[in-house]
Amino acid sequence: MKSAKCFSDRHYPIGKIDDKLYSSFTEHLGRSIYSGIYEPDHPTADENGYRQDVADLVKELGVPVIRYPGGNFVSCYDWHDGIGPKENRPKRMDYAWATIETNEFGIDEFCQWAEKVGVEPMIAVNLGTGNIKDAGDLVEYCNHPGGTYWSDLRARNGHPEPYRIKYWCLGNEMEGSWQAGHLSAEDYTKKALEAAKIMRWVDPSIKLVACGSSYEMLPTYLDWDRVMLTELYDQVDYISTHNYTMNSGQGTTNFLAAYKQLDSHIKNSAKAVEFVKAKNHFEKDIKICLDEWNVWNFQDIKLDSLDDLAGLTTFEMTSAEKWEIAPSILQEKYSLLDALVVGGLGITLLNNVDTVEIACLAQLINVIAPITTVRGGGVFKQTIYHPFHMLSKYGHGTTMKAVVEAPTYSCDFGELPIVEPAVVYNEETDEVRVFVLNCSQDEDTEFTVELQGYGDKKVKKHLALFGGDMEVRNTIEQPDNVTMKELDVTGVQGTTVVLPKMSWNILVLG
């Protein structure tokens, strides 16, 4: 059996964890909205058409913020189409995903659903095909108390009280050629600056997220951030970036080590922010909003390699024809291995809370999501539901610096220790929660936690995600093939436990 140690001293914090680290994202894409959140004819639907079985799982996840309505969708979207009497709302072509948007569900429905499930909306405005005045009007419609055209229209549409939306995204992935209304860094900066100005004139209390570099494959990577932030730094509160991990052609070892790639990606964004701050003598800090992250294996997109995405402007699906209404596209069937990787990515988020304040698992329902529904039928938890749920349940407090002493393994990201931990100290419960990914593929690992300054602690609970078959998946017929297991700790001596090979673990010490 291999052995590894994790050292943590209470005098060395990384940063306080913001609850918004466990946020999510839902887009008008596939069945994320229609037959996901909203299905009026479903047996569990309430008077507004919201599926209660889905609402219950969203509440269980403890998601604090949900980003909406896109994603690529938002760059073609006219929010006016989704308000007012439903029988008057137009059906439109959605160019982003080659589907038909019925507009039965719009900003009012989303905000009212968000209130029902206890989450805070984060709204993206269209800075692709949309204009800056439309962005200001949307803030007025959502946030102004009354006495103006758009706020009074909201009241007539059934919601006299303002929604008081705090978080707003200034477009989506605007540096990508696949985006409708794609812009250069200079042109995006001009448009976002003017939109931000109008939006803050309407409501000075809002927080704004600027589009940063989305993906490392793009030739403008990080240069975009430098150009954009030089003008926008004092006008925004966050810079966004996106990161997807794919298990295709890289092998299990590199896939497991994806946490290291995400760590580098986050640190690159943080360095770009720090460069602009230092060069221009700005005083405030800007945090990172990782408003899209997940494992995405592109199971039904025709794609030879990720390199193709750099110039891709049309996504071609294998699971649907063009111009269908709410087709079953991008419905990843996640494996146990995918769940382990999502857990590892979550550990990276915890270890970067000094720069990352908001992170949105993309997406929430049906589309590359932890929750999958059946039209007119049941709902089940994908394998990735479980690590995300455990992160949102146990990952609160302060992340502490962790130092590892362990055997190493080789991968494309370098020579890495076989265990990757994040140590969280919860001040309210006086507990230390250790999240740890064991990347050893051939044998279990004896894992010892050595703490300084926390008082006398011992292992009270050991939760683990593991199994003999890494390709096993949850289905509607067999929804519990993959779940978190609680391991017996009655015989544990001190702070040493055994981590199963290829496992994601949570240790609670108190």
Side-chain angles (χ1 to χ4, degrees):
M1 184 183 296
K2 296 173 182 176
S3 62
K5 289 184 178 180
C6 172
F7 304 88
S8 177
D9 189 313
R10 192 175 172 184
H11 296 93
Y12 296 97
I14 293 175
K16 189 77 174 175
I17 300 165
D18 193 292
D19 289 348
K20 294 190 293 294
L21 199 69
Y22 311 117
S23 299
S24 193
F25 167 45
T26 189
E27 180 176 357
H28 283 250
L29 162 57
R31 296 197 307 113
S32 185
I33 301 296
Y34 302 110
S35 75
I37 288 174
Y38 177 81
E39 190 175 357
D41 296 331
H42 193 268
T44 70
D46 66 10
E47 66 278 6
N48 295 310
Y50 307 136
R51 284 183 60 150
Q52 187 61 47
D53 56 351
V54 171
D56 290 342
L57 285 187
V58 173
K59 289 179 183 178
E60 180 182 283
L61 267 183
V63 176
V65 171
I66 297 178
R67 177 174 173 250
Y68 170 89
N72 294 356
F73 173 82
V74 76
S75 293
C76 303
Y77 181 54
D78 184 343
W79 67 269
H80 305 92
D81 290 341
I83 61 173
K86 294 187 180 184
E87 61 272 18
N88 296 335
R89 299 183 190 180
K91 291 182 180 179
R92 302 281 192 195
M93 280 184 166
D94 167 37
Y95 306 135
W97 301 107
T99 58
I100 298 296
E101 172 56 50
T102 67
N103 285 303
E104 292 175 67
F105 190 100
I107 187 68
D108 290 299
E109 286 79 16
F110 177 75
C111 289
Q112 290 164 26
W113 176 80
E115 185 177 348
K116 172 186 174 73
V117 297
V119 305
E120 189 170 0
M122 180 163 69
I123 302 301
V125 299
N126 180 354
L127 288 192
T129 61
N131 64 61
I132 60 175
K133 182 62 164 56
D134 286 342
D137 290 346
L138 181 55
V139 177
E140 179 186 333
Y141 183 86
C142 292
N143 286 10
H144 195 68
T148 65
Y149 176 81
W150 292 112
S151 60
D152 289 347
L153 181 59
R154 181 198 65 239
R156 291 198 301 274
N157 287 339
H159 207 276
E161 291 299 311
Y163 295 120
R164 298 184 178 89
I165 296 168
K166 183 176 182 180
Y167 299 99
W168 296 81
C169 300
L170 297 168
N172 174 76
E173 294 181 1
M174 293 310 303
E175 85 280 30
S177 59
W178 56 87
Q179 208 68 211
H182 155 65
L183 298 168
S184 67
E186 293 80 4
D187 288 342
Y188 170 76
T189 301
K190 292 175 185 176
K191 191 171 187 178
L193 182 64
E194 295 307 309
K197 189 164 66 180
I198 290 176
M199 293 165 75
R200 287 199 193 277
W201 282 344
V202 176
D203 185 350
S205 70
I206 61 176
K207 301 287 187 181
L208 297 177
V209 184
C211 286
S213 292
S214 298
Y215 305 110
E216 296 164 32
M217 65 191 178
L218 296 173
T220 57
Y221 180 60
L222 299 183
D223 277 336
W224 170 281
D225 306 61
R226 174 185 57 80
V227 171
M228 178 270 294
L229 282 177
T230 298
E231 298 296 328
L232 272 179
Y233 196 98
D234 275 339
Q235 302 301 320
V236 299
D237 304 279
Y238 301 91
I239 180 173
S240 77
T241 188
H242 297 166
N243 193 270
Y244 290 104
T245 298
M246 177 189 258
N247 182 17
S248 177
Q250 62 174 330
T252 298
T253 300
N254 288 324
F255 189 43
L256 272 175
Y259 60 85
K260 185 63 177 176
Q261 183 273 328
L262 177 58
D263 182 71
S264 297
H265 184 83
I266 290 170
K267 285 179 167 55
N268 286 344
S269 294
K271 288 172 185 174
V273 172
E274 283 301 305
F275 172 79
V276 174
K277 179 184 178 184
K279 182 172 177 60
N280 297 279
H281 308 289
F282 293 123
E283 294 186 1
K284 73 174 185 179
D285 289 324
I286 285 180
K287 295 292 188 179
I288 293 170
C289 176
L290 182 68
D291 50 28
E292 292 185 31
W293 72 274
N294 203 346
V295 167
W296 184 3
N297 291 319
F298 284 56
Q299 290 173 350
D300 69 338
I301 288 183
K302 294 179 182 178
L303 193 69
D304 293 326
S305 73
L306 283 179
D307 293 338
D308 292 352
L309 286 174
L312 192 66
T313 57
T314 302
F315 291 97
E316 190 174 357
M317 308 295 171
T318 61
S319 57
E321 298 298 325
K322 286 188 174 182
W323 314 120
E324 293 184 17
I325 295 175
S328 299
I329 57 176
L330 305 190
Q331 293 194 186
E332 295 277 313
K333 299 173 177 63
Y334 286 111
S335 68
L336 172 57
L337 180 58
D338 294 326
L340 297 183
V341 173
V342 166
L345 298 175
I347 286 172
T348 292
L349 293 180
L350 288 170
N351 284 328
N352 284 277
V353 293
D354 53 335
T355 58
V356 180
E357 187 171 296
I358 306 173
C360 301
L361 183 73
Q363 294 188 17
L364 183 62
I365 304 159
N366 288 328
V367 174
I368 53 172
I371 298 171
T372 296
T373 70
V374 175
R375 293 184 200 264
V379 61
F380 69 96
K381 303 170 183 177
Q382 291 271 0
T383 61
I384 66 168
Y385 183 99
H386 299 291
F388 187 69
H389 182 210
M390 292 298 100
L391 284 161
S392 72
K393 183 175 181 178
Y394 288 99
H396 300 278
T398 301
T399 303
M400 314 301 292
K401 184 175 176 60
V403 177
V404 170
E405 182 182 283
T408 62
Y409 68 99
S410 298
C411 66
D412 287 351
F413 311 112
E415 197 76 13
L416 303 177
I418 59 170
V419 293
E420 176 67 10
V423 176
V424 173
Y425 178 58
N426 187 285
E427 297 86 351
E428 293 182 7
T429 62
D430 191 28
E431 290 178 338
V432 176
R433 286 93 178 257
V434 181
F435 299 79
V436 56
L437 177 68
N438 183 15
C439 295
S440 174
Q441 297 181 44
D442 52 3
E443 57 182 313
D444 298 346
T445 301
E446 185 180 75
F447 183 71
T448 300
V449 182
E450 295 203 4
L451 303 174
Q452 294 289 332
Y454 297 94
D456 188 30
K457 296 283 187 287
K458 64 178 182 179
V459 177
K460 299 195 303 184
K461 181 178 287 190
H462 181 184
L463 299 168
L465 189 65
F466 66 101
D469 181 2
M470 287 291 114
E471 292 306 310
V472 68
R473 290 163 167 78
N474 291 342
T475 65
I476 191 68
E477 296 82 15
Q478 296 178 303
D480 297 321
N481 284 337
V482 176
T483 60
M484 295 294 299
K485 302 178 178 70
E486 183 165 357
L487 305 185
D488 186 9
V489 296
T490 55
V492 170
Q493 299 298 315
T495 58
T496 299
V497 300
V498 174
L499 307 179
K501 65 181 181 180
M502 293 184 72
S503 63
W504 186 78
N505 305 261
I506 304 171
L507 308 177
V508 179
L509 296 90

